[in-house]
Every structure is written in C-alpha cells, then in structure tokens.
Amino acid sequence: MSYSLEGKVVVVSGASMGVGRATAQRFARDGATVVLLARRKLLLDEVAETIGVNAVPIVTDVTCSADVCAAFEQVAAQFGRVDVLVNSAGASRIRLIEEASDDDIAVTVNTNLVAAIYTTRAAIPLRGAGGGDIINISSEITLDDMPLMTLYAATKHGLSGFTKAMNKELRRDSIRVTLLILGAVADTGIHENFGPGDLERAWPIWEADGYLTRMSGTRLLTPPMVADVLYDVVGRPRELMTDVIHVRPASS
C-alpha cells in the first residue's frame, strides 16, 4: 500500500519498549514526527536516539491526568495538531482477584483503561485537518478466559467498550478509532509486571487450562510485525473504517 506519513504528528503511549517502541520507529522511518510518551526518561531517551530528529520524547505518566494534559499542551504548542494516537501502554498482574492489592488494581485499571481515556480526551481537540486515527491495543484475553489474569481481562474488556463507543462518537469528526487485538507478543517487557514466582506458579495452570494453545499457540508476534499492522491501518483510504483487527501468528 502506497502511503506516506511525511509531516504527520503521531503520539505513542508506552513508547519506551515493545510495541510502542517499534511503532514509533516504524512511523518515524516513513517521515512522521513521533511524540514518545513513557514514564522512564532513560528508556525514552534511548528510543529517541534510535529515531533521531523526528522523535519528541516527553516523560509522561499516562495514568496521571495532569501529566497527560501537560504533554498534549506541549504537543499543541509545538505542532498544533495530532494526526495519529496509538495507545500501547499496558500493565498486568498474575493474581486471583482475592489476592489483588489496591495497588495491583489501581496500576492495571489505570494503565490499561484510564490512560487511554486521558490521552484520547486530550488528543480529540487537536485533530488534524481531515480527521485522524486513534488505535487502542488490546489482547486475545478478551476472546477467551485466562486463569489468574482477571484484572488484565477486565481492563481490556473495558478498553474494548471504550473503543467501540469512541468509534461511533468520533465518526462525525472523521476520526477513525480502531481496536487492535493481539496474540502474544515477544520482547514487550511484560515480565517486569510480575513478581518472584508468579510465572512459575501460573504456567502449569495456563497449560492445564489450554489457553496457550487455544489462542496464540507456541509462536509469538514481534513488535515490528505489530508496528507494520498499525502502519497499514493508518494508511488505509480515509473513506474506509477498520473497527477491529485481530492479529496472531499464522501457525503454532
């Protein structure tokens, strides 16, 4: 598909690693100015260095309303618009719900759902001429239950509902809102969400349940693969809407 992002302003949350990092790099390679949002300055600066002059790193806790407002105020002052918003920040906890602490609940709900609401709210008034695109990253966990991952599932279901509502509400403004449902992705840094022994406890339970083979299988997507899908979504003719895309490895 022939399409250029030259001159476009793309905001990516969760841009310091995984899908967010790969997406920022992919879009910048095609000429977009990429605004990188993430909490950790060191990682953010590393990504910006790989991109070069097209990168605008802004240290932002996307679960904090004040941080998000400040980031988008900087975008408004510097560029005056947002053409594409990719919400890829995510967090998860391996817990039975009765084991979840207040912090577990707050981190998961705020990162996976509230953050996307904050960034979307801030981006809408800055839509570029002709509309724009908002893409929210979800998970196959919304299609099948995964033991010990209730918090993650609940927030991703919430993101699905939010995306569907925004798709309808923003169509009048020529803003396309897409939900991207992903199978398991390698090199996302998700292991940083888990405590000592969490995976060792969960893995045999997941295998016994059959979730791993029912859904993604044994192979993993890579962040650059996902970034190419995101690029394809944005590059579709403006008269086309892509409401939901489900991407996973072609074979186990």
Side-chain angles (χ1 to χ4, degrees), residues 18-169:
V19 169
R21 176 187 176 113
T23 298
Q25 292 168 331
R26 176 67 182 87
F27 283 27
R29 192 165 71 241
D30 199 54
T33 295
V34 183
V35 180
L36 314 172
L37 306 183
R39 290 180 295 110
R40 289 179 284 187
K41 184 178 187 303
L42 180 60
L43 291 177
L44 208 55
D45 288 345
E46 288 176 358
V47 179
E49 187 174 350
T50 70
I51 292 172
V53 295
N54 282 13
V56 181
I58 305 177
V59 176
T60 308
D61 178 355
V62 290
T63 70
C64 171
S65 175
D67 268 23
V68 172
C69 287
F72 279 84
E73 285 172 3
Q74 181 175 331
V75 172
Q78 195 164 349
F79 304 109
R81 72 181 197 282
V82 173
D83 297 296
V84 180
L85 169 64
V86 179
N87 286 311
S88 66
S92 64
R93 296 291 187 270
I94 298 174
R95 300 282 189 276
L96 292 170
I97 197 65
E98 63 266 29
E99 299 169 347
S101 66
D102 288 352
D103 183 66
D104 290 332
I105 295 169
V107 167
T108 310
V109 172
N110 290 337
T111 306
N112 296 340
L113 178 57
V114 176
I117 296 174
Y118 285 159
T119 56
T120 300
R121 178 180 66 177
I124 290 170
L126 299 178
R127 64 186 179 275
D133 284 276
I134 298 172
I135 307 174
N136 295 326
I137 308 296
S138 189
S139 164
E140 286 184 325
I141 203 166
T142 59
L143 307 177
D144 193 357
D145 296 322
M146 188 177 188
L148 301 174
M149 297 291 283
T150 299
L151 280 175
Y152 186 66
T155 56
K156 289 301 186 180
H157 278 290
L159 183 64
S160 297
F162 175 67
T163 305
K164 182 178 180 181
M166 287 295 93
N167 181 298
K168 182 177 181 180
E169 184 171 311

Side-chain angles (χ1 to χ4, degrees), residues 152-212:
Y152 186 66
T155 56
K156 289 301 186 180
H157 278 290
L159 183 64
S160 297
F162 175 67
T163 305
K164 182 178 180 181
M166 287 295 93
N167 181 298
K168 182 177 181 180
E169 184 171 311
L170 297 179
R171 197 172 301 179
R172 67 177 187 273
D173 298 317
S174 298
I175 299 175
R176 305 183 300 188
V177 186
T178 299
L179 185 72
L180 178 59
I181 300 172
L182 295 179
V185 184
D187 301 322
T188 62
I190 196 170
H191 61 279
E192 296 182 7
N193 290 264
F194 306 145
D198 281 351
L199 278 174
E200 291 79 4
R201 172 198 181 192
W203 203 263
I205 295 173
W206 293 341
E207 286 186 326
D209 177 77
Y211 177 90
L212 300 177

